[in-house]
Amino acid sequence: MESVDVRRYVAPCGAVCYSCVAFRDGPIAGHARELARRLEGFERLVAIFATFEPRAAQFDAFRQFLSYLAEGTCGSCRAGDACMPDCGVRACSVERGHDYCFQCPDFPCDHTGLDDALRAYWLHANRRMAEIGPQAYWQERRERGHYTGE
């Protein structure tokens, strides 16, 4: 995979956009769209299924959330329509012209605007990319669950 693809899927902070629940071009959105397609028409059978599987009665709420997942609300911070538009990392990387924070001579800095948990992730991710490079970092992280931590 070329570097331009890595920049598309890994944010300046080191977050792997590809695996995020909000990323419209990631596997979660793609699988949600496929699942929604395969469930078309099931609403006609919900009442029958609910007689022997009570959780089926929650299908409408499930379908609403599935619709959200399938939509994907984020194209990435690099595309300018991220789900966290006020992130200080994005603005700083654009201003300083770096693809990733670890490339900046001021890394690590204190003007990210990240809370403690996100700051810890940011530090870990950028130190790891500095160690092995963004391409290897992408290879290492792309199939991991997005929310499993470091």
Side-chain angles (χ1 to χ4, degrees):
M1 186 170 282
E2 297 177 21
S3 293
V4 70
D5 292 326
V6 172
R7 286 194 318 266
R8 183 164 188 268
Y9 295 131
V10 180
C13 65
V16 180
C17 303
Y18 174 80
S19 58
C20 179
V21 70
F23 189 60
R24 78 174 55 97
D25 296 327
I28 293 174
H31 290 304
R33 287 188 289 270
E34 176 63 13
L35 183 56
R37 184 186 71 76
R38 291 182 178 268
L39 287 170
E40 286 177 11
F42 182 72
E43 62 277 357
R44 294 187 312 265
L45 302 172
V46 168
I48 295 167
F49 269 76
T51 63
F52 57 87
E53 177 48 71
R55 292 174 288 194
Q58 299 171 24
F59 181 70
D60 191 52
F62 169 74
R63 188 171 52 183
Q64 287 177 28
F65 189 65
L66 186 62
S67 176
Y68 160 75
L69 295 175
E71 176 185 331
T73 57
C74 181
S76 82
C77 65
R78 292 186 199 276
D81 65 345
C83 53
M84 294 178 65
D86 296 328
C87 176
V89 174
R90 178 193 184 277
C92 184
S93 70
V94 168
E95 179 183 311
R96 293 175 179 239
H98 297 295
D99 289 330
Y100 303 99
C101 292
F102 78 88
Q103 296 167 327
C104 181
D106 294 332
F107 176 78
C109 66
D110 292 325
H111 57 273
T112 63
L114 301 173
D115 65 25
D116 289 343
L118 288 175
R119 182 173 169 72
Y121 180 87
W122 169 76
L123 282 169
H124 171 78
N126 274 276
R127 286 178 177 151
R128 185 69 178 146
M129 282 192 290
E131 180 183 335
I132 65 173
Q135 183 74 30
Y137 178 76
W138 159 248
Q139 294 296 326
E140 182 177 275
R141 297 288 308 184
R142 70 182 184 165
E143 295 302 322
R144 288 173 129 179
H146 189 80
Y147 307 99
T148 58
E150 298 176 6

